[in-house]
Amino acid sequence: APPPARGVVESMRDAVSPRPAALEHEDPPMPRDVPPPEACVSLADLVDELVPKIPSKVAREQLRRVRTLPVEMRIVGERPNLLDPNPPKLEPRRQIWMRVTKVQAHGLDECCAAYFSDHMLLVTALLPHGVHFPSPALGVVASLDHAMWFHAPFHADDWILYDVHSPRLADGRGLAVGHMYSSATGRLCVTSVQEGLLRLAQPSVARSAAHLWLRLNALYENLRAGTAFNTSMKTAPRRSPPAVGGDAVASER
């Protein structure tokens, strides 16, 4: 006999009508030192650069699906190298610009924000440990609890700044908190909190091969960059040395 069915997801919703209030504050406020979306690297561009370098056909197809998402995402900060075999250890904070681009979002703004909130929230807890997502070093990534609060109206087809930080990762459980700010109003419109499992993988032949490929690819890229630099130095025009001798003496006189 089949086992009895049991629920794996429980959802609770509560709503309140907005009303004027004498007491109001937002903390933290929308960051003011964040570059505009146009100055940030597009996730789609990163995928386009990454796909030709991936040897696995399955992985390439999974990455190509990112290009079909109805969401445009731009990453604030330095351009990440997702093929770095030894990623730097960073502070547990990430900022992303997001907006809906391929569908009509009006009337579905909260649904779009719920979809936004799951992108790069929990995995921000991996940044201080020098682990990318995805990575062959990861064994388990799974959400346990995900809660959201909608504070103010917004439009999902306007740019939304998603400011995420992780206060803790221990015992295989990570916690992350995200704040969404509307670029149109500058107001905090959504808060999201997620707890989940983040565990390293057990050693295996397949994962060791993936790590070896990452190291060889990094070596190849470094060698190619060094060759390009040497070629540019050889082809650069040489500058004439400054005048010395009689001309210099004459100019001093």
Side-chain angles (χ1 to χ4, degrees), residues 41 52 55 57 71 105 108-109 129 149 172 181 193 204 212 222 239:
V41 59
K57 181 179 180 181
V71 179
L108 298 173
D109 300 295
H129 307 279
W149 292 263
Y181 299 90
V193 179
S204 69
L212 177 60
N222 289 335
R239 295 183 179 180

Side-chain angles (χ1 to χ4, degrees), residues 2 34 39 45 52 63 70 85 111 116 120 125 132 155 159 180 184 198 213 220 230 232 235 240 243 253:
V34 178
D45 292 341
L63 284 171
C111 296
F116 288 168
M120 304 186 185
H132 276 316
H155 293 302
W159 282 111
M180 295 187 190
L198 294 170
W213 181 86
Y220 168 75
N230 292 334
S232 64
T235 58
S240 301
R253 294 179 180 177

Side-chain angles (χ1 to χ4, degrees), residues 39-117:
C40 300
V41 59
S42 168
L43 182 61
D45 292 341
L46 289 177
V47 169
D48 289 342
E49 295 176 4
L50 192 60
V51 166
K53 301 177 182 179
I54 300 296
S56 170
K57 181 179 180 181
V58 175
R60 290 197 301 270
E61 291 302 320
Q62 291 176 341
L63 284 171
R64 287 193 180 102
R65 293 177 185 175
V66 176
R67 302 292 275 112
T68 65
L69 296 178
V71 179
E72 182 177 3
M73 290 180 278
R74 293 182 173 267
I75 301 173
V76 178
E78 295 185 6
R79 190 184 194 91
N81 179 9
L82 299 180
L83 295 181
D84 188 349
N86 297 299
K89 296 182 179 181
L90 307 173
E91 66 171 317
R93 188 181 185 190
R94 192 196 308 267
Q95 293 173 320
I96 313 142
W97 287 105
M98 296 182 174
R99 67 175 176 179
V100 171
T101 56
K102 300 178 182 179
V103 296
Q104 294 294 327
H106 290 296
L108 298 173
D109 300 295
E110 289 80 8
C111 296
C112 294
Y115 181 77
F116 288 168
S117 69

Side-chain angles (χ1 to χ4, degrees), residues 177-208:
V177 181
H179 297 103
M180 295 187 190
Y181 299 90
S182 168
S183 61
T185 64
R187 298 192 64 185
L188 173 63
C189 51
V190 180
T191 296
S192 180
V193 179
Q194 187 176 29
E195 183 187 30
L197 296 177
L198 294 170
R199 296 175 180 172
L200 296 179
Q202 296 294 327
S204 69
V205 174
R207 295 184 186 277
S208 298

